[in-house]
């Protein structure tokens, strides 16, 4: 699960519970997909048509993968159902390749880091710093954008800032990349896709 998903999920749950869409045969999974598509369009992204008919599940997917993937480095170990922020470029290729995505496609997907914010430890209560629970992360007092400009609008700023970071032409506080972001420009093959 992505950190910070609880807040928007509560909004979707409220809509689902209070508007009668459940009575119309829409699954909660369909409502999540529709909310995601609307959010993308609202943020200036493309209109996405959603096919309905998803089935709800009564249990979450396992956090650990059934088939562990391992490249040549420790950081290329893919053992969870969501990619680790610490994966190296080989790990990214393994993870997204197993999902059927090409390098070009997973680099484009990473551009979603142009949107939104991630948890930081700034102003985190000391009790949370000692025991960093999911609740602490979900209720973090400070959320930082990956890219400081317009974190609620689609653009190609993420890719431009990655290239500026690679050229060491970035100001302190201008970006808050995670290791998988940086992998996209440190790896020459992936950098080609960032440049386009």
């Amino acid at each position: 699960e992505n950190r910070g998903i609880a807040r928007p999920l509560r909004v979707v749950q409220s809509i689902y519970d209070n508007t009668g869409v459940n009575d119309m045969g829409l699954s909660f999974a369909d409502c999540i997909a529709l909310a995601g598509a609307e959010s993308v369009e609202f943020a200036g992204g493309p209109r996405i048509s959603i096919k309905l008919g998803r089935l709800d599940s009564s249990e979450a997917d396992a956090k650990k993968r059934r088939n562990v993937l391992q490249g040549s480095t420790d950081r290329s170990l893919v053992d969870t159902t969501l990619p680790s922020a610490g994966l190296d470029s080989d790990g990214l290729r393994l993870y997204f390749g197993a999902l059927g995505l090409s390098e070009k496609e997973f680099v484009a997907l990473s551009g979603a880091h142009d949107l939104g914010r991630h948890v930081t430890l700034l102003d985190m209560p000391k009790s949370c710093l000692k025991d960093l629970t999911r609740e602490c992360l979900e209720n973090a007092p400070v959320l930082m954008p990956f890219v400081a400009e317009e974190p609620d609008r689609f653009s190609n700023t993420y890719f431009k800032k990655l290239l500026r970071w690679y050229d060491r032409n970035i100001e302190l506080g201008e970006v808050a990349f995670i290791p998988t972001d940086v992998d996209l420009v440190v790896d020459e093959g992936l950098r080609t896709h960032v440049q386009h």
Side-chain angles (χ1 to χ4, degrees):
E1 297 174 33
N2 278 340
R3 291 181 188 120
I5 197 75
R7 293 175 198 164
L9 197 56
R10 282 193 294 268
V11 173
V12 176
Q13 183 73 57
S14 176
I15 292 167
Y16 183 74
D17 291 343
N18 298 310
T19 61
V21 294
N22 186 14
D23 300 331
M24 298 175 355
L26 246 57
S27 66
F28 187 58
D30 281 335
C31 284
I32 291 170
L34 289 166
E38 286 298 313
S39 298
V40 166
E41 188 174 356
F42 184 79
R47 180 154 188 61
I48 302 169
S49 30
I50 300 295
K51 292 182 181 177
L52 303 177
R54 288 166 186 77
L55 298 176
D56 289 333
S57 176
S58 59
E59 59 187 57
D61 289 340
K63 291 186 185 220
K64 294 290 183 180
R65 289 179 56 92
R66 286 186 206 128
N67 303 325
V68 173
L69 306 170
Q70 177 72 58
S72 60
T73 68
D74 290 341
R75 285 189 52 221
S76 65
L77 175 66
V78 178
D79 63 351
T80 57
T81 54
L82 283 177
S84 163
L87 286 176
D88 62 13
S89 56
D90 289 338
L92 288 172
R93 285 182 178 94
L94 287 170
Y95 179 85
F96 288 108
L99 297 175
L101 295 179
S102 69
E103 286 183 5
K104 182 178 182 180
E105 291 168 327
F106 81 71
V107 169
L109 183 62
S110 297
H113 283 179
D114 197 40
L115 290 173
R117 294 154 184 82
H118 64 88
V119 172
T120 73
L121 301 179
L122 296 173
D123 292 335
M124 186 79 70
K126 286 183 182 178
S127 60
C128 281
L129 292 174
K130 289 180 181 176
D131 183 22
L132 202 55
T133 64
R134 179 162 186 96
E135 182 180 347
C136 288
L137 294 170
E138 287 288 346
N139 297 307
V142 178
L143 299 175
M144 288 187 73
F146 289 99
V147 179
E149 297 170 18
E150 298 192 79
D152 300 318
R153 301 294 301 162
F154 266 104
S155 71
N156 64 352
T157 303
Y158 169 78
F159 296 112
K160 289 178 181 178
K161 299 271 179 145
L162 272 174
L163 293 169
R164 286 187 48 217
W165 177 91
Y166 181 73
D167 292 335
R168 302 297 188 258
N169 187 21
I170 204 99
E171 298 293 322
L172 184 63
E174 195 174 345
V175 295
F177 292 136
I178 58 176
T180 52
D181 294 323
V182 172
D183 290 339
L184 301 181
V185 289
V186 172
D187 182 285
E188 188 175 343
L190 297 179
R191 188 170 60 248
T192 302
H193 302 296
V194 172
Q195 292 167 326
H196 293 102

